Amino acid sequence: MTLVSLYTVRCVLNGLGISDYGVFNAVAGIVTASTCLSSVLGLSTQRFYSFAIGKGQTKRLREIFSASLNLVIILSALLLIVLSTIGLWFVNTQLNIPITRLPAAQWLFILSLIAFIFSILQIPYMGAVFAHEDMGIYALISILDCLLKLIVAINIEKAPFDHLIFYGVGLSIIALLNLLAYIFIAKHKYKECKYQKVKSKETLKELITFSGWTFYGALAGVGMTQGSTILLNIFFGPIINAAFNIGNQVYNALNTLSNSIVLAFRPAMIKAYSGEKNDYLARLFSISNRVLLHLLICIAIPLLVETRSFLTLWLGNITDTMVTFTQLYVIYEIILTLHNPITIIVQATGKVKHYSIIVESMIILCLPISWILFKMGFSQQYLFYIMIGICSMAHIARLLLLKRIYPNFKLSNYIWKIILPAMATFCITYGGIIYIHSQVQSTILRLLAVCSFSPVLATCAAYFVGISLEERKFIHHYISKKR
């Protein structure tokens, strides 16, 4: 999926052209943002499913499904009203769009809104799939979604009408197919996915409260990304928008890989919490953090060292701004990904209100601060400096809040057993890759060498400095047993 998605971006860029591609990301960014938003809300619904399963409350599952369906229908109606009025006004009056492309941008916004609503409506069904840990179903639908987007992207240049509108129509149809697929599978596979009148106001109240604060958190993250796109469009124009979105696509690719690990751990961690298995939850938390960090080290270091080579191979013609934005986005992703295991435990407890208010409000501060800097004449990359700085401070706040919400969490163990070993692994691997980079002259051979040696060096460094003596003994025992 990650490789296909990256190639799809190249096809879209070639099909639309750099200017229209910038317009697409300024106007229709809600399409890609909605995927993140619906996934986060789906995971919130899944929390209630998993918690009930962990407690053995199978009869409550249908009530949870029905309440969540009511919730997303109401939410979709409200979003449709707000975005179709205020959103369209914003596109017409505030965005920096060439006057000849404004009619196409208006149609694109409407089509993006339709796709957004479809993605919201699939949440109760997607949550059931996650809760039952049927990741094969999720993978299959995601792969088909990815391939269909590739087909649409390849055919942009052959479209019989405006390319921007054609791409918007294609994405809307794909969103509808995703919704129908989740509805069909969930209704035939899970008994609880049949609507009944919600009698318990308590269940609906819990869902509204929890989903509301989770929605605020998702909206803050999405709002920062899309708000950054709009700020760059207003101050620097659609060309910089295109460069920003190239970095954003690399960020999304890394995020997809890290989320595949998070999705595997999430149901087990929530069930462990609801079943009061604290020692097992602590082990899952430690392993998920280290696996996430190890994956990002293996992939991020080659991206940071060979950014220009990767982008040239991927896109063909590139700019220095694309290189800078991509490198800064990779650093941002490494810091941001660390919040996932923390957020899982917080959501498992259900105490998300203060966590969301404090942390997500910090994240959204990126926008007003960046706006002030741009008004003062600072360059576009300062947006990323603010994002990275605030994200680092927000992570510290997450840790302190987790300790308060879940007293069993030990901050000292997190620092000494997870963060410091990961930093040592990163430094050792980065130093080795920089040396290899300096010794090989051929671009292709250097790229292959860097990509090949990065996971090897990272794994060796993690083995000697990233894991405990007991874990090394376990690995030796496991290998000997397999032999």
mmCIF file of all heavy atoms in Angstrom, residues 49-50 52-53 57-69 124-125 127-134 186-196:
data_model
loop_
_atom_site.group_PDB
_atom_site.id
_atom_site.type_symbol
_atom_site.label_atom_id
_atom_site.label_comp_id
_atom_site.label_asym_id
_atom_site.label_seq_id
_atom_site.Cartn_x
_atom_site.Cartn_y
_atom_site.Cartn_z
ATOM 1 N N TYR A 49 -16.229 -1.279 21.915
ATOM 2 C CA TYR A 49 -16.382 -2.691 21.546
ATOM 3 C C TYR A 49 -15.380 -3.557 22.317
ATOM 4 O O TYR A 49 -15.741 -4.557 22.954
ATOM 5 C CB TYR A 49 -16.140 -2.885 20.050
ATOM 6 C CG TYR A 49 -17.255 -2.450 19.133
ATOM 7 C CD1 TYR A 49 -17.003 -1.597 18.065
ATOM 8 C CD2 TYR A 49 -18.557 -2.915 19.284
ATOM 9 C CE1 TYR A 49 -18.002 -1.199 17.192
ATOM 10 C CE2 TYR A 49 -19.570 -2.525 18.423
ATOM 11 C CZ TYR A 49 -19.285 -1.666 17.377
ATOM 12 O OH TYR A 49 -20.278 -1.281 16.518
ATOM 13 N N SER A 50 -14.086 -3.187 22.240
ATOM 14 C CA SER A 50 -13.029 -3.989 22.868
ATOM 15 C C SER A 50 -13.190 -4.040 24.380
ATOM 16 O O SER A 50 -12.962 -5.082 25.008
ATOM 17 C CB SER A 50 -11.650 -3.412 22.514
ATOM 18 O OG SER A 50 -11.395 -3.520 21.142
ATOM 19 N N ALA A 52 -15.980 -3.822 26.083
ATOM 20 C CA ALA A 52 -17.097 -4.719 26.389
ATOM 21 C C ALA A 52 -16.703 -6.178 26.203
ATOM 22 O O ALA A 52 -17.067 -7.043 27.005
ATOM 23 C CB ALA A 52 -18.300 -4.383 25.510
ATOM 24 N N ILE A 53 -15.929 -6.466 25.145
ATOM 25 C CA ILE A 53 -15.464 -7.841 24.908
ATOM 26 C C ILE A 53 -14.544 -8.285 26.032
ATOM 27 O O ILE A 53 -14.629 -9.414 26.534
ATOM 28 C CB ILE A 53 -14.762 -7.947 23.538
ATOM 29 C CG1 ILE A 53 -15.778 -7.734 22.406
ATOM 30 C CG2 ILE A 53 -14.087 -9.311 23.374
ATOM 31 C CD1 ILE A 53 -15.153 -7.614 21.020
ATOM 32 N N GLN A 57 -19.022 -8.588 28.151
ATOM 33 C CA GLN A 57 -20.376 -8.023 28.025
ATOM 34 C C GLN A 57 -20.838 -8.088 26.563
ATOM 35 O O GLN A 57 -21.052 -7.063 25.915
ATOM 36 C CB GLN A 57 -20.384 -6.574 28.528
ATOM 37 C CG GLN A 57 -19.952 -6.428 29.980
ATOM 38 C CD GLN A 57 -19.727 -4.978 30.377
ATOM 39 O OE1 GLN A 57 -19.512 -4.101 29.541
ATOM 40 N NE2 GLN A 57 -19.771 -4.717 31.683
ATOM 41 N N THR A 58 -21.008 -9.271 26.043
ATOM 42 C CA THR A 58 -21.346 -9.439 24.623
ATOM 43 C C THR A 58 -22.733 -8.882 24.284
ATOM 44 O O THR A 58 -22.965 -8.445 23.152
ATOM 45 C CB THR A 58 -21.271 -10.922 24.234
ATOM 46 O OG1 THR A 58 -22.094 -11.684 25.146
ATOM 47 C CG2 THR A 58 -19.847 -11.439 24.319
ATOM 48 N N LYS A 59 -23.659 -8.905 25.243
ATOM 49 C CA LYS A 59 -25.016 -8.411 24.971
ATOM 50 C C LYS A 59 -25.025 -6.893 24.770
ATOM 51 O O LYS A 59 -25.964 -6.346 24.177
ATOM 52 C CB LYS A 59 -25.946 -8.788 26.127
ATOM 53 C CG LYS A 59 -26.209 -10.296 26.233
ATOM 54 C CD LYS A 59 -27.181 -10.600 27.367
ATOM 55 C CE LYS A 59 -27.450 -12.098 27.463
ATOM 56 N NZ LYS A 59 -28.386 -12.422 28.571
ATOM 57 N N ARG A 60 -24.003 -6.217 25.247
ATOM 58 C CA ARG A 60 -23.956 -4.752 25.148
ATOM 59 C C ARG A 60 -23.442 -4.290 23.783
ATOM 60 O O ARG A 60 -23.560 -3.113 23.442
ATOM 61 C CB ARG A 60 -23.061 -4.201 26.259
ATOM 62 C CG ARG A 60 -23.145 -2.703 26.440
ATOM 63 C CD ARG A 60 -22.502 -2.260 27.746
ATOM 64 N NE ARG A 60 -22.598 -0.811 27.881
ATOM 65 C CZ ARG A 60 -21.560 0.021 27.753
ATOM 66 N NH1 ARG A 60 -20.361 -0.452 27.509
ATOM 67 N NH2 ARG A 60 -21.725 1.325 27.889
ATOM 68 N N LEU A 61 -22.913 -5.201 22.996
ATOM 69 C CA LEU A 61 -22.284 -4.817 21.733
ATOM 70 C C LEU A 61 -23.273 -4.197 20.751
ATOM 71 O O LEU A 61 -22.965 -3.210 20.087
ATOM 72 C CB LEU A 61 -21.591 -6.032 21.094
ATOM 73 C CG LEU A 61 -20.370 -6.580 21.850
ATOM 74 C CD1 LEU A 61 -19.844 -7.836 21.172
ATOM 75 C CD2 LEU A 61 -19.275 -5.527 21.923
ATOM 76 N N ARG A 62 -24.489 -4.773 20.645
ATOM 77 C CA ARG A 62 -25.465 -4.224 19.702
ATOM 78 C C ARG A 62 -25.899 -2.819 20.113
ATOM 79 O O ARG A 62 -26.114 -1.954 19.265
ATOM 80 C CB ARG A 62 -26.687 -5.142 19.593
ATOM 81 C CG ARG A 62 -27.707 -4.636 18.569
ATOM 82 C CD ARG A 62 -28.857 -5.590 18.363
ATOM 83 N NE ARG A 62 -28.448 -6.786 17.654
ATOM 84 C CZ ARG A 62 -29.296 -7.700 17.175
ATOM 85 N NH1 ARG A 62 -30.613 -7.547 17.370
ATOM 86 N NH2 ARG A 62 -28.854 -8.747 16.547
ATOM 87 N N GLU A 63 -25.995 -2.603 21.406
ATOM 88 C CA GLU A 63 -26.361 -1.279 21.898
ATOM 89 C C GLU A 63 -25.277 -0.254 21.558
ATOM 90 O O GLU A 63 -25.575 0.887 21.178
ATOM 91 C CB GLU A 63 -26.590 -1.333 23.410
ATOM 92 C CG GLU A 63 -27.200 -0.060 23.974
ATOM 93 C CD GLU A 63 -27.548 -0.205 25.452
ATOM 94 O OE1 GLU A 63 -27.246 -1.257 26.037
ATOM 95 O OE2 GLU A 63 -28.109 0.746 25.997
ATOM 96 N N ILE A 64 -24.017 -0.677 21.689
ATOM 97 C CA ILE A 64 -22.901 0.202 21.345
ATOM 98 C C ILE A 64 -22.928 0.537 19.857
ATOM 99 O O ILE A 64 -22.759 1.689 19.455
ATOM 100 C CB ILE A 64 -21.558 -0.451 21.734
ATOM 101 C CG1 ILE A 64 -21.438 -0.559 23.260
ATOM 102 C CG2 ILE A 64 -20.387 0.338 21.160
ATOM 103 C CD1 ILE A 64 -20.256 -1.372 23.725
ATOM 104 N N PHE A 65 -23.172 -0.490 19.019
ATOM 105 C CA PHE A 65 -23.233 -0.262 17.573
ATOM 106 C C PHE A 65 -24.350 0.722 17.224
ATOM 107 O O PHE A 65 -24.135 1.681 16.464
ATOM 108 C CB PHE A 65 -23.466 -1.589 16.839
ATOM 109 C CG PHE A 65 -23.849 -1.409 15.396
ATOM 110 C CD1 PHE A 65 -22.881 -1.119 14.446
ATOM 111 C CD2 PHE A 65 -25.173 -1.500 14.998
ATOM 112 C CE1 PHE A 65 -23.232 -0.926 13.110
ATOM 113 C CE2 PHE A 65 -25.530 -1.321 13.666
ATOM 114 C CZ PHE A 65 -24.558 -1.023 12.727
ATOM 115 N N SER A 66 -25.533 0.513 17.765
ATOM 116 C CA SER A 66 -26.685 1.366 17.441
ATOM 117 C C SER A 66 -26.455 2.802 17.892
ATOM 118 O O SER A 66 -26.781 3.761 17.168
ATOM 119 C CB SER A 66 -27.952 0.793 18.089
ATOM 120 O OG SER A 66 -28.196 -0.530 17.647
ATOM 121 N N ALA A 67 -25.901 2.964 19.079
ATOM 122 C CA ALA A 67 -25.629 4.310 19.586
ATOM 123 C C ALA A 67 -24.585 5.017 18.726
ATOM 124 O O ALA A 67 -24.716 6.219 18.432
ATOM 125 C CB ALA A 67 -25.160 4.231 21.037
ATOM 126 N N SER A 68 -23.540 4.278 18.319
ATOM 127 C CA SER A 68 -22.497 4.894 17.489
ATOM 128 C C SER A 68 -23.030 5.263 16.106
ATOM 129 O O SER A 68 -22.640 6.280 15.531
ATOM 130 C CB SER A 68 -21.299 3.949 17.355
ATOM 131 O OG SER A 68 -21.659 2.763 16.670
ATOM 132 N N LEU A 69 -23.960 4.455 15.569
ATOM 133 C CA LEU A 69 -24.571 4.768 14.279
ATOM 134 C C LEU A 69 -25.405 6.048 14.376
ATOM 135 O O LEU A 69 -25.347 6.922 13.488
ATOM 136 C CB LEU A 69 -25.429 3.599 13.805
ATOM 137 C CG LEU A 69 -25.960 3.683 12.370
ATOM 138 C CD1 LEU A 69 -24.814 3.792 11.373
ATOM 139 C CD2 LEU A 69 -26.825 2.463 12.052
ATOM 140 N N PRO A 124 -18.955 3.098 12.527
ATOM 141 C CA PRO A 124 -19.423 2.001 13.396
ATOM 142 C C PRO A 124 -19.056 0.619 12.864
ATOM 143 O O PRO A 124 -18.769 -0.294 13.637
ATOM 144 C CB PRO A 124 -20.949 2.192 13.420
ATOM 145 C CG PRO A 124 -21.162 3.626 13.058
ATOM 146 C CD PRO A 124 -20.084 3.955 12.087
ATOM 147 N N TYR A 125 -19.072 0.483 11.545
ATOM 148 C CA TYR A 125 -18.756 -0.812 10.930
ATOM 149 C C TYR A 125 -17.246 -1.090 10.975
ATOM 150 O O TYR A 125 -16.822 -2.208 11.269
ATOM 151 C CB TYR A 125 -19.257 -0.826 9.481
ATOM 152 C CG TYR A 125 -20.723 -0.481 9.358
ATOM 153 C CD1 TYR A 125 -21.147 0.817 9.083
ATOM 154 C CD2 TYR A 125 -21.709 -1.451 9.557
ATOM 155 C CE1 TYR A 125 -22.500 1.146 9.000
ATOM 156 C CE2 TYR A 125 -23.064 -1.132 9.468
ATOM 157 C CZ TYR A 125 -23.456 0.164 9.193
ATOM 158 O OH TYR A 125 -24.785 0.472 9.113
ATOM 159 N N GLY A 127 -15.218 0.113 13.224
ATOM 160 C CA GLY A 127 -14.893 -0.140 14.628
ATOM 161 C C GLY A 127 -15.131 -1.582 15.020
ATOM 162 O O GLY A 127 -14.364 -2.167 15.788
ATOM 163 N N ALA A 128 -16.193 -2.200 14.485
ATOM 164 C CA ALA A 128 -16.479 -3.612 14.769
ATOM 165 C C ALA A 128 -15.384 -4.511 14.207
ATOM 166 O O ALA A 128 -14.964 -5.487 14.845
ATOM 167 C CB ALA A 128 -17.834 -3.987 14.188
ATOM 168 N N VAL A 129 -14.903 -4.187 13.013
ATOM 169 C CA VAL A 129 -13.814 -4.967 12.408
ATOM 170 C C VAL A 129 -12.564 -4.904 13.267
ATOM 171 O O VAL A 129 -11.915 -5.921 13.535
ATOM 172 C CB VAL A 129 -13.517 -4.447 10.976
ATOM 173 C CG1 VAL A 129 -12.258 -5.111 10.412
ATOM 174 C CG2 VAL A 129 -14.699 -4.727 10.052
ATOM 175 N N PHE A 130 -12.199 -3.695 13.740
ATOM 176 C CA PHE A 130 -11.020 -3.543 14.593
ATOM 177 C C PHE A 130 -11.184 -4.287 15.914
ATOM 178 O O PHE A 130 -10.262 -4.954 16.387
ATOM 179 C CB PHE A 130 -10.757 -2.060 14.881
ATOM 180 C CG PHE A 130 -10.246 -1.286 13.695
ATOM 181 C CD1 PHE A 130 -10.457 0.077 13.611
ATOM 182 C CD2 PHE A 130 -9.568 -1.912 12.668
ATOM 183 C CE1 PHE A 130 -9.995 0.809 12.520
ATOM 184 C CE2 PHE A 130 -9.108 -1.207 11.575
ATOM 185 C CZ PHE A 130 -9.323 0.154 11.498
ATOM 186 N N ALA A 131 -12.358 -4.167 16.530
ATOM 187 C CA ALA A 131 -12.583 -4.777 17.842
ATOM 188 C C ALA A 131 -12.458 -6.294 17.788
ATOM 189 O O ALA A 131 -11.953 -6.922 18.727
ATOM 190 C CB ALA A 131 -13.959 -4.386 18.366
ATOM 191 N N HIS A 132 -12.906 -6.893 16.697
ATOM 192 C CA HIS A 132 -12.804 -8.352 16.541
ATOM 193 C C HIS A 132 -11.441 -8.772 16.003
ATOM 194 O O HIS A 132 -11.226 -9.966 15.744
ATOM 195 C CB HIS A 132 -13.917 -8.850 15.623
ATOM 196 C CG HIS A 132 -15.278 -8.798 16.261
ATOM 197 N ND1 HIS A 132 -15.760 -9.793 17.091
ATOM 198 C CD2 HIS A 132 -16.268 -7.864 16.205
ATOM 199 C CE1 HIS A 132 -16.975 -9.478 17.502
ATOM 200 N NE2 HIS A 132 -17.309 -8.309 16.981
ATOM 201 N N GLU A 133 -10.537 -7.785 15.827
ATOM 202 C CA GLU A 133 -9.164 -8.040 15.373
ATOM 203 C C GLU A 133 -9.122 -8.767 14.033
ATOM 204 O O GLU A 133 -8.208 -9.560 13.767
ATOM 205 C CB GLU A 133 -8.368 -8.803 16.448
ATOM 206 C CG GLU A 133 -8.289 -8.038 17.767
ATOM 207 C CD GLU A 133 -7.416 -8.719 18.804
ATOM 208 O OE1 GLU A 133 -6.297 -9.123 18.463
ATOM 209 O OE2 GLU A 133 -7.861 -8.846 19.963
ATOM 210 N N ASP A 134 -10.096 -8.489 13.167
ATOM 211 C CA ASP A 134 -10.103 -9.048 11.812
ATOM 212 C C ASP A 134 -9.310 -8.118 10.893
ATOM 213 O O ASP A 134 -9.860 -7.455 9.999
ATOM 214 C CB ASP A 134 -11.548 -9.204 11.308
ATOM 215 C CG ASP A 134 -12.264 -10.368 11.958
ATOM 216 O OD1 ASP A 134 -11.580 -11.356 12.324
ATOM 217 O OD2 ASP A 134 -13.494 -10.302 12.123
ATOM 218 N N ALA A 186 -19.715 -6.207 7.717
ATOM 219 C CA ALA A 186 -20.085 -6.146 9.134
ATOM 220 C C ALA A 186 -21.457 -6.752 9.388
ATOM 221 O O ALA A 186 -21.659 -7.487 10.366
ATOM 222 C CB ALA A 186 -20.048 -4.703 9.626
ATOM 223 N N LYS A 187 -22.406 -6.470 8.505
ATOM 224 C CA LYS A 187 -23.767 -6.994 8.704
ATOM 225 C C LYS A 187 -23.823 -8.510 8.557
ATOM 226 O O LYS A 187 -24.651 -9.180 9.193
ATOM 227 C CB LYS A 187 -24.732 -6.331 7.714
ATOM 228 C CG LYS A 187 -25.186 -4.941 8.154
ATOM 229 C CD LYS A 187 -26.265 -4.407 7.258
ATOM 230 C CE LYS A 187 -26.856 -3.120 7.809
ATOM 231 N NZ LYS A 187 -27.599 -3.327 9.076
ATOM 232 N N HIS A 188 -22.968 -9.090 7.734
ATOM 233 C CA HIS A 188 -22.988 -10.538 7.513
ATOM 234 C C HIS A 188 -22.078 -11.290 8.479
ATOM 235 O O HIS A 188 -22.255 -12.495 8.669
ATOM 236 C CB HIS A 188 -22.578 -10.865 6.076
ATOM 237 C CG HIS A 188 -23.655 -10.575 5.070
ATOM 238 N ND1 HIS A 188 -23.933 -9.292 4.618
ATOM 239 C CD2 HIS A 188 -24.546 -11.396 4.450
ATOM 240 C CE1 HIS A 188 -24.933 -9.339 3.759
ATOM 241 N NE2 HIS A 188 -25.325 -10.591 3.631
ATOM 242 N N LYS A 189 -21.108 -10.593 9.097
ATOM 243 C CA LYS A 189 -20.121 -11.300 9.921
ATOM 244 C C LYS A 189 -20.330 -11.103 11.422
ATOM 245 O O LYS A 189 -20.043 -12.005 12.208
ATOM 246 C CB LYS A 189 -18.704 -10.819 9.529
ATOM 247 C CG LYS A 189 -17.582 -11.668 10.114
ATOM 248 C CD LYS A 189 -16.252 -11.243 9.529
ATOM 249 C CE LYS A 189 -15.097 -12.029 10.151
ATOM 250 N NZ LYS A 189 -15.160 -13.472 9.856
ATOM 251 N N TYR A 190 -20.861 -9.942 11.834
ATOM 252 C CA TYR A 190 -20.979 -9.641 13.251
ATOM 253 C C TYR A 190 -22.455 -9.467 13.624
ATOM 254 O O TYR A 190 -23.153 -8.621 13.060
ATOM 255 C CB TYR A 190 -20.198 -8.372 13.600
ATOM 256 C CG TYR A 190 -18.795 -8.359 13.050
ATOM 257 C CD1 TYR A 190 -18.374 -7.350 12.189
ATOM 258 C CD2 TYR A 190 -17.896 -9.371 13.358
ATOM 259 C CE1 TYR A 190 -17.089 -7.336 11.671
ATOM 260 C CE2 TYR A 190 -16.614 -9.374 12.842
ATOM 261 C CZ TYR A 190 -16.213 -8.348 11.993
ATOM 262 O OH TYR A 190 -14.950 -8.347 11.470
ATOM 263 N N LYS A 191 -22.899 -10.225 14.602
ATOM 264 C CA LYS A 191 -24.303 -10.205 15.009
ATOM 265 C C LYS A 191 -24.722 -8.856 15.583
ATOM 266 O O LYS A 191 -25.878 -8.454 15.470
ATOM 267 C CB LYS A 191 -24.568 -11.311 16.042
ATOM 268 C CG LYS A 191 -24.415 -12.720 15.491
ATOM 269 C CD LYS A 191 -24.673 -13.752 16.585
ATOM 270 C CE LYS A 191 -24.521 -15.167 16.033
ATOM 271 N NZ LYS A 191 -24.740 -16.186 17.089
ATOM 272 N N GLU A 192 -23.762 -8.172 16.214
ATOM 273 C CA GLU A 192 -24.128 -6.915 16.867
ATOM 274 C C GLU A 192 -24.381 -5.776 15.875
ATOM 275 O O GLU A 192 -24.940 -4.743 16.253
ATOM 276 C CB GLU A 192 -23.042 -6.485 17.857
ATOM 277 C CG GLU A 192 -21.704 -6.100 17.236
ATOM 278 C CD GLU A 192 -20.738 -7.273 17.129
ATOM 279 O OE1 GLU A 192 -21.200 -8.422 17.249
ATOM 280 O OE2 GLU A 192 -19.540 -7.031 16.945
ATOM 281 N N CYS A 193 -23.958 -5.940 14.622
ATOM 282 C CA CYS A 193 -24.097 -4.859 13.637
ATOM 283 C C CYS A 193 -25.486 -4.855 12.995
ATOM 284 O O CYS A 193 -25.630 -4.872 11.759
ATOM 285 C CB CYS A 193 -23.006 -4.966 12.580
ATOM 286 S SG CYS A 193 -21.358 -4.579 13.220
ATOM 287 N N LYS A 194 -26.490 -4.859 13.818
ATOM 288 C CA LYS A 194 -27.895 -4.740 13.384
ATOM 289 C C LYS A 194 -28.545 -3.691 14.281
ATOM 290 O O LYS A 194 -28.499 -3.800 15.497
ATOM 291 C CB LYS A 194 -28.609 -6.087 13.488
ATOM 292 C CG LYS A 194 -28.115 -7.110 12.469
ATOM 293 C CD LYS A 194 -28.842 -8.435 12.619
ATOM 294 C CE LYS A 194 -28.436 -9.419 11.523
ATOM 295 N NZ LYS A 194 -27.014 -9.710 11.518
ATOM 296 N N TYR A 195 -29.140 -2.711 13.658
ATOM 297 C CA TYR A 195 -29.634 -1.557 14.408
ATOM 298 C C TYR A 195 -30.823 -1.914 15.292
ATOM 299 O O TYR A 195 -31.716 -2.667 14.902
ATOM 300 C CB TYR A 195 -30.032 -0.432 13.457
ATOM 301 C CG TYR A 195 -30.456 0.825 14.180
ATOM 302 C CD1 TYR A 195 -29.510 1.702 14.699
ATOM 303 C CD2 TYR A 195 -31.806 1.118 14.367
ATOM 304 C CE1 TYR A 195 -29.891 2.844 15.376
ATOM 305 C CE2 TYR A 195 -32.196 2.266 15.043
ATOM 306 C CZ TYR A 195 -31.235 3.113 15.560
ATOM 307 O OH TYR A 195 -31.612 4.239 16.237
ATOM 308 N N GLN A 196 -30.812 -1.378 16.496
ATOM 309 C CA GLN A 196 -31.955 -1.467 17.398
ATOM 310 C C GLN A 196 -32.127 -0.113 18.081
ATOM 311 O O GLN A 196 -31.179 0.680 18.156
ATOM 312 C CB GLN A 196 -31.749 -2.555 18.463
ATOM 313 C CG GLN A 196 -30.634 -2.245 19.462
ATOM 314 C CD GLN A 196 -30.486 -3.314 20.528
ATOM 315 O OE1 GLN A 196 -30.845 -4.457 20.315
ATOM 316 N NE2 GLN A 196 -29.942 -2.939 21.675
#
